[in-house]
Amino acid sequence: MRELRGLTAIVTGASSGIGAATARALAKAGVRVAGGARRRDRLETEVALELDVTDRSSCERFVEQALAELGGGLDILVNAAGLALGREPFDASSEADEQVVLETNVHGLIRMTRLCLPHLRDYGHIVNMGSVAGRQAYESAALYVTSKFAVRGFTYALREDLLGRPIRITTVDPGLVETDFSLVRFRGDEEKARAVYAGVEAMTPPDIADCILFALTRPLHVNVDELVVKALAQSSGGRILRSSE
């Protein structure tokens, strides 16, 4: 197993959900973590900096400040920032939502990878947060599904480009995880958000953080290309067995 103590990491979307749980798990393993999020006040990382992955200047400023605080080198990048907006058929969705989703989930992830890649030390590791939505489409989620298929495609392509360099890359594709994800998706409608997790034992952010640490701690000659993780009661993005059924 790879020893993580003493390494450095950047985690985007680190103020809540999977990003926050991953940052905590890394810190517990002895990693120095720079967390970035728009809600800086909710960050609990050693280095806590404001970050809007949809804004190039914000990303550039964040990476420069984070590296300065961490000592100039980077071992781990976790691209965890992401969201969905709305749950309606494509022809009822808006171009405004499309821009936010793609800028956050795709362009932001690529932008942060481009900025951090030159600073990754030998045997650095990039972890991209995908989704089961990027493997199998489900209805009324075209924008989100598109963004996560793009994340998986980018990860595959980057893996090809990095072949021969001592850098590892993994995509983690979770299914149903109980976070603020649905609250954001439904624009603050708590009743709709709660209904997503009703009647089923969803996964938790620490469950996914454990999977990320598994990939990070494999021997250095091993690359975990992808991890697909679902709740036991879920067979696909759109098929969930609930206790009321």
Side-chain angles (χ1 to χ4, degrees):
M1 292 177 60
R2 184 184 193 184
E3 172 60 50
L4 299 182
R5 185 167 301 278
L7 300 184
T8 60
I10 281 175
V11 180
T12 72
S15 62
S16 65
I18 294 171
T22 302
R24 284 192 292 268
L26 288 170
K28 186 176 180 180
V31 179
R32 298 188 60 215
V33 181
R38 287 176 297 178
R39 299 172 295 184
R40 181 180 178 180
D41 60 305
R42 296 184 61 176
L43 292 168
E44 300 176 356
T45 48
E46 176 184 343
V47 179
L49 300 169
E50 183 178 354
L51 171 63
D52 180 354
V53 297
T54 70
D55 184 308
R56 179 176 179 178
S57 296
S58 175
C59 292
E60 291 174 340
R61 184 168 55 251
F62 169 84
V63 172
E64 181 180 359
Q65 293 176 346
L67 290 173
E69 293 283 347
L70 294 173
L74 184 63
D75 299 296
I76 300 165
L77 168 64
V78 180
N79 283 309
L83 52 74
L85 290 176
R87 186 73 199 276
E88 57 273 316
F90 174 71
D91 56 358
S93 65
S94 71
E95 189 168 340
D97 285 352
E98 173 190 318
Q99 183 174 3
V100 172
V101 171
L102 295 184
E103 276 294 333
T104 304
N105 297 0
V106 183
H107 300 152
L109 181 147
I110 293 173
R111 183 177 294 119
M112 286 299 297
T113 302
R114 188 186 303 279
L115 289 169
C116 291
L117 188 56
H119 303 284
L120 276 175
R121 298 186 179 99
D122 284 357
Y123 299 103
H125 201 139
I126 300 169
V127 178
N128 290 333
M129 189 55 54
S131 168
V132 294
R135 312 186 71 87
Q136 185 176 358
Y138 58 92
E139 78 284 354
S140 300
L143 302 181
Y144 182 67
V145 166
T146 297
S147 73
K148 292 304 183 178
F149 265 84
V151 168
R152 188 157 63 99
F154 172 67
T155 305
Y156 286 178
L158 186 59
R159 177 87 163 92
E160 295 290 342
D161 287 350
L162 294 180
L163 188 64
R165 297 178 60 183
I167 296 175
R168 303 192 294 177
I169 181 166
T170 302
T171 177
V172 179
D173 297 339
L176 189 66
V177 183
E178 189 164 2
T179 66
D180 289 340
F181 175 86
S182 292
L183 190 63
V184 173
R185 177 175 231 168
F186 292 114
R187 309 175 201 280
D189 189 322
E190 295 184 3
E191 184 176 353
K192 286 185 177 180
R194 283 196 300 270
V196 173
Y197 311 107
V200 61
E201 186 175 1
M203 296 182 291
T204 67
D207 292 332
I208 309 305
D210 284 345
C211 294
I212 291 172
L213 257 66
F214 171 81
L216 293 173
T217 54
R218 295 311 88 201
L220 293 178
H221 68 283
V222 175
N223 191 91
V224 179
D225 282 25
E226 51 191 352
L227 282 168
V228 184
V229 193
K230 301 173 187 173
L232 182 60
Q234 176 182 30
S235 60
S236 65
R239 190 160 184 239
I240 299 169
L241 183 65
R242 301 181 187 276
S243 59
S244 59
E245 296 180 352

